[in-house]
Amino acid sequence: MKSPLRAYAPIFAAVAALAGIPLATSANTVLNSLALALLMALAGQGWNILGGYAGQISFGHAVFFGTGAFATAILQSRFGVNAYLAFACAIALGAAVGALIGYLSFRAGLRGSYFALVTLAFAEVFRIIANASSFTGGAAGTLLKLDARAANFQFASRAIFVWIAVGLVGIALIGTRMIERSRFGAYLVAIRENEDAARALGIDTLKLKVQAITLSAGITAAAGAFYVQYFLFVDANIAFGTWISIEALLTPIIGGLGTTMGPLVGALALQVLAQATKAVAGRAPGADVALYGALLVAAIAFAPAGLQGLAARFKRGLAT
Amino acid sequence: MFAPQIILAAIVNGLLTGAVYALVSVALTLVYGVLHIINFAHGAILTAAMFAAFFASQAGIDPLIAMFGLAPLFFVLGYAAQRFVISPASHGSDSNVLMVTLGISIVIENVLLVAFGSDTRTIDTPYGFSTIDVGFLFLPMPRVIAFGAASVVALLLWALLTKSDTGKAIRAVAKEQLGAALVGIDVVHIYAVTFGVGAACLAVAACVLLPSYYVHPQVGDAYVLVAFTVVVLGGMGSVPGAVIGGLAVGVVESLSGLYFGESLGQLGIFLIFILVLLLRPTGLFGARA
């Protein structure tokens, strides 16, 4: 195992570099893309704990993102709860939903595609209910009042949002690295590699998987809550839509599944890709997304182990 | 409570819708059963087929006639997509297959969006609004035709899988891929054939859906989630399960729409889906875990 300094140095370097960007530029498009990329990285980091380390692929992380988003939006708009307290509650509630879904599905022994599909179904159930219930604002969604004061977790400057996002991503990165170096992380990897063998060795796989999904859900819920603070609006199709489930699993897979930096690398790469295709394809709606899809297929065809895997292959190629 | 006639009408309507669900689901379960992959491009292929049927109809060809051209065309397209794109690009890893099919669906949906815009389109057919009187209720003609076509396709598929050599090879690959390769079956070819058959089923589904439905670039998505439910309900990889599951889901949707209102109608489907997964994950007619 690497020394603590060598293990954490890349994280601090990445955080410092990202935090420097708002100092270098104040262009709104850059800061907005960066904030979105960091949001996706955070959602993906949550997904990565469960999908990357513990090997339980979820198609429904929208359920946690949406729970976090609606929890913070409703607590503030309906109950007048302080924004920071609402943020904390959103994370706790997201984690609780994760624990419940995890307990139900893992106790039923769902694995692989079956687990993936049940998470997808949970996300759809939440979406349909949120879309029909007046408590969540129905199809019109829930709006937060614009009142840009630090006490409300609202800032006029995008740079501050970027720094907060960098902070959240940094915390998640350090947490992930700590898990990776801990016994807990080793157990999760054991479950991913061979669950039956792990259980035979006396690992309580049900408990560990529930812990993993709880943590995973909490982190993704934080991304959802941050989304609401940033956009001040959420509706059922944003919060529980398949787009966020897909983004949450794309970022780690593109960046490198089950690696600490994977989701961040993947989110930044996807954001650059999205902006580049937008620039190339011009204003025709859908053209940029179509190109994005084609490049996604190409990326998987030529870099099956993610971008970090590709980098490692190049390094090996140069070394030999 | 509702009068028995209304409930009966809801059940019959559910069966008619369910037949199309069954058709879409049979394609999905077949691909899953043989290739062991979850095809995320399923909905997009259905959408593409509906657009093809739409433009055939604009050119004066009724969708029910166009079906005989589109089904072979989509077989070829599906075969080519699996053989030359999905299989080489995914390097045999399941999570890569997921990404590749997802990428393909993004491409299909957005190319359609670029080319045709996000308008909702419908077609007029002479039988579009005609009904059949069966005594206690009126059945919409297009959906009766859809039911008939879905039944015929299910029978043809059953015949293909049980009677033909290709069908035998498909079932052999589904059961034991390595063993099938050892006895001389070209597994890559069978994979592509299966994917092609799935796409052809979707083309038929698209042609029978169009007269009573609308088309826009994301129309297929609504069917994918339902198809997943049906496939899980019937047991993943089980073709008879998908047929019965499709009909059952159609009825459940129709009845829960009746009792809970239109916007919550699909809720019943997903609750059943979750309960089946949690209580009996092999499905009601599950072939294997």
Side-chain angles (χ1 to χ4, degrees):
Chain A
M1 185 166 277
K2 285 188 219 166
S3 70
L5 185 70
R6 284 195 56 189
Y8 291 99
I11 296 176
F12 291 118
V15 166
L18 289 168
I21 293 176
L23 299 175
T25 174
S26 58
N28 262 343
T29 47
V30 174
L31 294 184
N32 196 33
S33 315
L34 186 59
L36 277 178
L38 290 167
L39 182 82
M40 291 313 159
L42 192 59
Q45 279 178 313
W47 190 93
N48 197 31
I49 305 261
L50 184 67
Y53 288 99
Q56 310 298 313
I57 305 285
S58 148
F59 286 174
H61 257 51
V63 70
F64 311 129
F65 182 90
T67 303
F70 270 117
T72 195
I74 291 172
L75 282 173
Q76 286 180 67
S77 67
R78 280 185 186 265
F79 301 105
V81 175
N82 172 279
Y84 295 95
L85 186 61
F87 197 88
C89 290
I91 294 174
L93 208 62
V97 169
L100 182 69
I101 291 177
Y103 179 72
L104 287 173
S105 336
F106 292 136
R107 202 195 44 164
L110 297 182
R111 294 183 187 183
S113 323
Y114 288 94
F115 175 70
L117 288 174
V118 84
T119 54
L120 182 75
F122 273 113
E124 273 302 293
V125 166
F126 275 60
R127 188 183 66 78
I128 293 170
I129 292 176
N131 205 32
S133 149
S134 59
F135 186 62
T136 51
T142 298
L143 209 60
L144 276 193
K145 227 185 291 167
L146 174 68
D147 185 6
R149 283 186 297 149
N152 296 340
F153 205 153
Q154 294 181 23
F155 306 96
S157 144
R158 278 182 208 274
I160 296 175
F161 271 117
V162 169
W163 283 321
I164 291 171
V166 169
L168 290 170
V169 168
I171 293 168
L173 283 175
I174 291 168
T176 308
R177 184 49 58 91
M178 278 164 68
I179 289 171
E180 202 178 64
R181 293 164 59 87
S182 71
R183 186 169 281 269
F184 175 63
Y187 285 153
L188 294 187
V189 172
I191 290 172
R192 177 185 74 199
E193 295 301 325
N194 190 333
E195 188 169 341
D196 296 324
R199 196 163 39 213
L201 289 172
I203 298 176
D204 185 348
T205 53
L206 174 63
K207 190 177 121 198
L208 281 158
K209 285 196 289 185
V210 172
Q211 285 171 347
I213 194 174
T214 307
L215 202 58
S216 171
I219 297 172
T220 303
F226 180 79
Y227 179 96
V228 170
Q229 292 308 134
Y230 190 66
F231 290 101
L232 299 178
F233 171 73
V234 66
D235 69 19
N237 288 325
I238 294 172
F240 297 114
T242 31
W243 73 278
I244 184 69
S245 298
I246 289 171
E247 292 276 357
L249 71 93
L250 268 183
T251 54
I253 289 177
I254 295 286
L257 201 60
T259 62
T260 310
M261 296 298 240
L264 180 61
V265 172
L268 292 172
L270 284 173
Q271 191 63 32
V272 168
L273 180 63
Q275 296 300 332
T277 51
K278 214 176 263 175
V280 171
R283 298 181 61 87
D288 56 326
V289 192
L291 199 55
Y292 176 93
L295 286 171
L296 181 62
V297 175
I300 291 153
F302 298 112
L307 289 176
Q308 293 192 96
L310 192 68
R313 216 162 66 190
F314 268 114
K315 232 185 269 172
R316 270 202 306 278
L318 292 176
T320 49
Chain B
M1 277 310 289
F2 295 99
Q5 283 100 320
I6 296 181
I7 294 173
L8 194 62
I11 291 174
V12 173
N13 266 317
L15 286 173
L16 294 181
T17 315
V20 179
Y21 287 163
L23 193 52
V24 176
S25 310
V26 160
L28 189 66
T29 207
L30 190 65
V31 171
Y32 181 85
V34 178
L35 281 73
H36 302 287
I37 59 167
I38 291 182
N39 175 18
F40 248 81
H42 203 67
I45 296 172
L46 179 66
T47 310
M50 284 177 79
F51 266 99
F54 175 80
F55 285 106
S57 148
Q58 293 289 302
I61 307 167
D62 190 279
L64 298 178
I65 310 285
M67 185 158 79
F68 295 96
L70 287 179
L73 173 69
F74 272 78
F75 174 80
V76 173
L77 290 177
Y79 184 97
Q82 165 62 24
R83 179 129 203 189
F84 302 115
V85 181
I86 300 173
S87 164
S90 53
H91 306 275
S93 136
D94 284 356
S95 72
N96 284 342
V97 170
L98 190 78
M99 295 297 109
V100 171
T101 53
L102 182 68
I104 290 174
S105 79
I106 293 174
V107 171
I108 294 176
E109 282 180 4
N110 288 284
V111 165
L112 291 171
L113 182 66
V114 173
F116 309 118
S118 56
D119 307 339
T120 298
R121 296 150 194 263
T122 52
I123 60 164
D124 288 323
T125 49
Y127 49 86
F129 290 100
S130 52
T131 53
I132 301 173
D133 183 1
V134 288
F136 59 94
L137 77 162
F138 292 98
L139 299 176
M141 186 67 162
R143 296 169 84 181
V144 174
I145 295 175
F147 186 87
S151 313
V152 171
V153 170
L155 279 176
L156 284 177
L157 206 58
W158 174 79
L160 171 82
L161 286 177
T162 52
K163 306 285 180 210
S164 73
D165 281 350
T166 311
K168 249 182 230 163
I170 290 176
R171 284 184 296 141
V173 172
K175 272 230 163 61
E176 179 53 59
Q177 190 215 98
L178 186 64
L182 286 175
V183 297
I185 295 172
D186 183 351
V187 173
V188 179
H189 172 71
I190 290 298
Y191 275 3
V193 166
T194 310
F195 205 90
V197 169
C201 287
L202 287 174
V204 174
C207 290
V208 296
L209 265 178
L210 198 59
S212 64
Y213 212 66
Y214 53 87
V215 54
H216 67 80
Q218 261 109 38
V219 68
D221 292 356
Y223 282 87
V224 176
L225 289 172
V226 175
F228 277 136
T229 313
V230 170
V231 166
V232 165
L233 189 64
M236 277 189 166
S238 156
V239 172
V243 173
I244 298 170
L247 296 173
V249 165
V251 172
V252 168
E253 184 187 35
S254 175
L255 286 178
S256 60
L258 185 64
Y259 284 100
F260 306 128
E262 207 52 54
S263 65
L264 287 176
Q266 287 218 316
L267 200 59
I269 298 182
F270 293 111
L271 289 178
I272 286 190
F273 179 68
I274 290 170
L275 285 177
V276 169
L277 272 179
L278 294 184
L279 302 176
R280 198 181 149 75
T282 51
L284 299 179
F285 316 92
R288 67 176 156 264

XYZ file of all heavy atoms in Angstrom, chain A residues 244-293:
336
model
N -30.276 11.215 -15.081
C -29.311 11.323 -13.990
C -28.784 9.946 -13.590
O -27.608 9.788 -13.258
C -29.899 12.115 -12.798
C -28.859 12.312 -11.704
C -31.152 11.480 -12.232
C -27.753 13.242 -12.106
N -29.653 8.925 -13.684
C -29.166 7.561 -13.429
C -28.065 7.217 -14.417
O -27.072 6.572 -14.069
C -30.301 6.555 -13.588
O -31.314 6.791 -12.653
N -28.260 7.651 -15.666
C -27.289 7.328 -16.710
C -25.997 8.115 -16.495
O -24.898 7.554 -16.543
C -27.899 7.609 -18.092
C -28.971 6.556 -18.396
C -26.831 7.580 -19.169
C -29.791 6.855 -19.618
N -26.114 9.413 -16.208
C -24.912 10.218 -15.972
C -24.118 9.656 -14.794
O -22.896 9.594 -14.827
C -25.291 11.673 -15.677
C -25.872 12.429 -16.853
C -24.810 13.012 -17.766
O -23.613 12.886 -17.455
O -25.186 13.579 -18.806
N -24.851 9.256 -13.730
C -24.172 8.772 -12.532
C -23.367 7.513 -12.814
O -22.324 7.294 -12.208
C -25.182 8.507 -11.418
N -23.830 6.691 -13.747
C -23.055 5.477 -14.026
C -22.062 5.683 -15.161
O -21.030 5.017 -15.223
C -23.974 4.280 -14.272
C -24.822 4.139 -15.522
C -24.072 3.329 -16.564
C -26.108 3.421 -15.202
N -22.355 6.658 -16.040
C -21.415 6.922 -17.141
C -20.096 7.488 -16.622
O -19.027 7.070 -17.074
C -22.005 7.950 -18.110
C -22.797 7.451 -19.291
C -23.217 8.624 -20.157
C -21.979 6.471 -20.110
N -20.173 8.445 -15.704
C -18.939 9.126 -15.298
C -17.899 8.152 -14.755
O -16.766 8.174 -15.231
C -19.210 10.267 -14.313
O -19.960 9.772 -13.227
C -19.956 11.405 -14.953
N -18.228 7.257 -13.797
C -17.193 6.328 -13.355
C -16.775 5.341 -14.433
O -15.605 4.961 -14.493
C -17.821 5.603 -12.164
C -19.236 5.926 -12.172
C -19.457 7.134 -12.994
N -17.718 4.915 -15.276
C -17.346 3.913 -16.276
C -16.405 4.532 -17.308
O -15.416 3.921 -17.714
C -18.602 3.294 -16.923
C -19.292 2.396 -15.897
C -18.237 2.497 -18.152
C -20.575 1.774 -16.352
N -16.686 5.777 -17.708
C -15.800 6.442 -18.656
C -14.456 6.737 -18.000
O -13.390 6.541 -18.594
C -16.435 7.768 -19.146
C -17.701 7.503 -19.932
C -15.455 8.581 -19.976
C -17.500 6.957 -21.305
N -14.490 7.203 -16.764
C -13.244 7.602 -16.105
C -12.432 6.434 -15.606
O -11.201 6.492 -15.583
N -13.095 5.376 -15.219
C -12.391 4.226 -14.659
C -13.177 3.694 -13.472
O -13.197 4.312 -12.411
N -13.810 2.529 -13.691
C -14.695 1.936 -12.694
C -13.899 1.507 -11.466
O -12.840 0.906 -11.583
C -15.345 0.710 -13.349
C -16.636 0.163 -12.795
C -17.716 1.209 -12.860
C -17.045 -1.046 -13.610
N -14.417 1.841 -10.282
C -13.763 1.370 -9.064
C -12.421 2.020 -8.811
O -11.557 1.428 -8.188
N -12.225 3.230 -9.323
C -11.025 3.983 -8.982
C -11.472 5.279 -8.316
O -12.563 5.778 -8.602
C -10.186 4.333 -10.227
O -10.978 5.168 -11.085
C -9.788 3.091 -10.993
N -10.644 5.809 -7.450
C -11.043 7.004 -6.710
C -11.322 8.160 -7.648
O -12.330 8.854 -7.542
C -9.932 7.411 -5.732
O -9.561 6.259 -4.991
C -10.400 8.494 -4.799
N -10.404 8.385 -8.592
C -10.506 9.550 -9.450
C -11.437 9.332 -10.642
O -11.762 10.289 -11.347
C -9.117 9.927 -9.974
C -8.161 10.341 -8.879
S -8.761 11.808 -8.029
C -7.413 12.893 -8.347
N -11.857 8.084 -10.874
C -12.643 7.751 -12.064
C -13.809 8.693 -12.337
O -13.890 9.289 -13.411
N -14.726 8.877 -11.361
C -15.892 9.715 -11.649
C -15.528 11.152 -12.008
O -16.152 11.743 -12.898
C -16.689 9.667 -10.339
C -16.259 8.418 -9.678
C -14.822 8.226 -10.048
N -14.512 11.699 -11.340
C -14.130 13.084 -11.632
C -13.547 13.183 -13.043
O -13.943 14.052 -13.834
C -13.115 13.577 -10.585
C -12.636 15.009 -10.766
C -13.794 15.985 -10.668
C -11.584 15.355 -9.728
N -12.632 12.264 -13.357
C -12.036 12.256 -14.697
C -13.133 12.090 -15.747
O -13.184 12.824 -16.739
C -11.001 11.108 -14.816
C -10.518 10.953 -16.250
C -9.826 11.357 -13.883
N -14.045 11.133 -15.500
C -15.123 10.863 -16.456
C -16.044 12.063 -16.622
O -16.415 12.423 -17.741
N -16.401 12.709 -15.506
C -17.328 13.840 -15.582
C -16.699 14.996 -16.346
O -17.354 15.637 -17.178
C -17.722 14.285 -14.174
N -15.426 15.268 -16.085
C -14.757 16.361 -16.797
C -14.656 16.028 -18.282
O -14.931 16.866 -19.146
C -13.374 16.624 -16.198
C -13.381 17.198 -14.774
C -11.974 17.231 -14.202
C -13.982 18.599 -14.756
N -14.286 14.775 -18.583
C -14.149 14.372 -19.987
C -15.491 14.476 -20.707
O -15.572 14.991 -21.827
C -13.601 12.946 -20.072
N -16.561 14.000 -20.062
C -17.878 14.039 -20.703
C -18.348 15.475 -20.917
O -18.962 15.794 -21.936
C -18.910 13.282 -19.856
C -18.833 11.765 -19.917
C -19.778 11.125 -18.913
C -19.178 11.269 -21.317
N -18.031 16.346 -19.953
C -18.442 17.736 -20.082
C -17.696 18.406 -21.237
O -18.288 19.124 -22.038
C -18.194 18.474 -18.765
C -18.812 19.857 -18.696
C -20.331 19.826 -18.783
O -20.953 18.897 -18.330
N -20.919 20.830 -19.389
N -16.373 18.128 -21.317
C -15.585 18.670 -22.434
C -16.145 18.154 -23.755
O -16.338 18.910 -24.713
C -14.088 18.285 -22.283
C -13.320 18.590 -23.555
C -13.482 19.013 -21.093
N -16.455 16.847 -23.772
C -17.007 16.228 -24.973
C -18.330 16.890 -25.363
O -18.553 17.250 -26.527
C -17.207 14.739 -24.701
C -17.770 13.891 -25.834
C -16.821 13.886 -27.012
C -18.004 12.462 -25.363
N -19.193 17.096 -24.349
C -20.498 17.695 -24.632
C -20.336 19.109 -25.180
O -21.003 19.499 -26.147
C -21.349 17.709 -23.363
N -19.432 19.891 -24.574
C -19.231 21.264 -25.040
C -18.611 21.292 -26.434
O -18.985 22.103 -27.285
C -18.343 22.045 -24.062
C -18.948 22.231 -22.678
C -20.261 22.994 -22.705
O -20.493 23.800 -23.599
N -21.127 22.713 -21.753
N -17.655 20.377 -26.659
C -16.994 20.329 -27.960
C -17.978 19.952 -29.050
O -18.011 20.574 -30.121
C -15.828 19.336 -27.921
N -18.822 18.943 -28.775
C -19.778 18.534 -29.805
C -20.785 19.651 -30.047
O -21.225 19.861 -31.168
C -20.518 17.242 -29.417
O -21.054 17.392 -28.115
C -19.601 16.053 -29.449
N -21.124 20.388 -28.988
C -22.044 21.504 -29.154
C -21.425 22.553 -30.078
O -22.091 23.103 -30.956
C -22.351 22.120 -27.787
C -23.759 22.655 -27.682
C -24.056 23.170 -26.283
C -24.766 22.155 -25.426
N -24.958 22.578 -24.047
N -20.119 22.801 -29.874
C -19.428 23.792 -30.696
C -19.348 23.332 -32.152
O -19.523 24.124 -33.072
C -18.035 24.038 -30.130
N -19.094 22.026 -32.344
C -18.932 21.510 -33.702
C -20.287 21.434 -34.408
O -20.437 21.836 -35.559
C -18.268 20.113 -33.672
C -18.290 19.469 -35.055
C -16.843 20.221 -33.160
N -21.282 20.924 -33.688
C -22.550 20.628 -34.339
C -23.425 21.864 -34.511
O -24.399 21.827 -35.243
C -23.303 19.567 -33.537
N -23.082 22.944 -33.820
C -23.845 24.162 -34.006
C -25.192 24.111 -33.313
O -25.361 23.415 -32.315
N -26.161 24.789 -33.882
C -27.384 25.041 -33.141
C -28.499 24.042 -33.386
O -29.537 24.125 -32.747
C -27.880 26.456 -33.469
C -26.899 27.531 -33.063
C -27.432 28.901 -33.385
N -28.676 29.165 -32.681
C -28.734 29.669 -31.455
N -27.624 29.960 -30.814
N -29.886 29.896 -30.877
N -28.312 23.110 -34.335
C -29.385 22.154 -34.600
C -29.646 21.340 -33.334
O -28.733 20.724 -32.808
C -28.992 21.226 -35.741
N -30.873 21.355 -32.802
C -31.128 20.629 -31.563
C -30.923 19.139 -31.775
O -31.415 18.573 -32.748
C -32.596 20.946 -31.247
C -33.181 21.373 -32.543
C -32.077 21.986 -33.337
N -30.175 18.522 -30.887
C -29.976 17.086 -30.980
C -28.700 16.678 -31.689
O -28.168 15.608 -31.426
N -28.176 17.535 -32.582
C -26.990 17.144 -33.342
C -25.809 16.894 -32.415
O -25.076 15.916 -32.563
C -26.639 18.221 -34.366
N -25.642 17.801 -31.428
C -24.510 17.626 -30.512
C -24.664 16.342 -29.700
O -23.699 15.610 -29.491
C -24.377 18.843 -29.591
C -25.650 19.128 -28.820
O -26.732 18.891 -29.389
O -25.566 19.577 -27.672
N -25.912 16.054 -29.274
C -26.117 14.857 -28.452
C -25.887 13.597 -29.283
O -25.341 12.604 -28.793
C -27.519 14.856 -27.837
C -27.622 13.790 -26.771
C -27.837 16.208 -27.238
N -26.284 13.635 -30.547
C -26.075 12.479 -31.420
C -24.572 12.201 -31.572
O -24.125 11.059 -31.473
C -26.710 12.723 -32.789
N -23.806 13.273 -31.773
C -22.360 13.139 -31.906
C -21.754 12.596 -30.612
O -20.871 11.736 -30.614
C -21.767 14.521 -32.225
C -20.385 14.557 -32.838
C -20.325 13.721 -34.092
C -20.009 15.993 -33.163
N -22.287 13.097 -29.498
C -21.866 12.653 -28.169
C -22.065 11.146 -28.030
O -21.181 10.417 -27.575
C -22.715 13.437 -27.175
C -22.588 13.136 -25.718
C -21.701 13.866 -24.928
C -23.397 12.191 -25.115
C -21.628 13.627 -23.569
C -23.327 11.954 -23.759
C -22.447 12.667 -22.986
O -22.374 12.434 -21.656
N -23.233 10.673 -28.471
C -23.515 9.240 -28.411
C -22.540 8.441 -29.253
O -22.032 7.407 -28.820
